[in-house]
Amino acid sequence: MTRRVQKSVAVLSLVIVIAGLVGSALRDISPLVLVPLVPTGVLFVVAGMVSWARRPESSVGRLLTASGFAWSLSQVLLL
């Protein structure tokens, strides 16, 4: 995984977390609701990035990263 991909993934994770905070503020939902939900996806993304960097030929890292994004985004959109 190149540095450019790592930075893009990190920025996208941050955007999802910020979108969740803004969305919860606009819907008058406590941001504490996001505490157990969004970090789970972020941890999947981080684990995927580490796996992807260590073994780029394996698709497990890409799968973990994609699942983390899907989890975080689904939790943010469902609130």
Side-chain angles (χ1 to χ4, degrees), residues 1-9:
M1 175 179 0
T2 63
R3 288 273 186 213
R4 179 182 234 174
V5 173
Q6 287 176 339
K7 288 179 183 178
S8 300
V9 168

Side-chain angles (χ1 to χ4, degrees), residues 5-20:
V5 173
Q6 287 176 339
K7 288 179 183 178
S8 300
V9 168
V11 167
L12 191 55
S13 295
L14 187 62
V15 166
I16 289 174
V17 170
I18 290 172

Side-chain angles (χ1 to χ4, degrees), residues 19-44:
L21 291 173
V22 169
S24 68
L26 291 176
R27 295 182 187 144
D28 293 329
I29 299 172
S30 171
L32 294 176
V33 172
L34 294 175
V35 169
L37 302 176
V38 174
T40 304
V42 172
L43 288 175
F44 268 100

Side-chain angles (χ1 to χ4, degrees), residues 22-71:
V22 169
S24 68
L26 291 176
R27 295 182 187 144
D28 293 329
I29 299 172
S30 171
L32 294 176
V33 172
L34 294 175
V35 169
L37 302 176
V38 174
T40 304
V42 172
L43 288 175
F44 268 100
V45 170
V46 169
M49 286 176 57
V50 169
S51 173
W52 194 356
R54 293 186 78 187
R55 296 188 63 191
E57 70 279 355
S58 174
S59 61
V60 173
R62 290 185 289 266
L63 266 170
L64 275 171
T65 304
S67 347
F69 282 128
W71 172 268

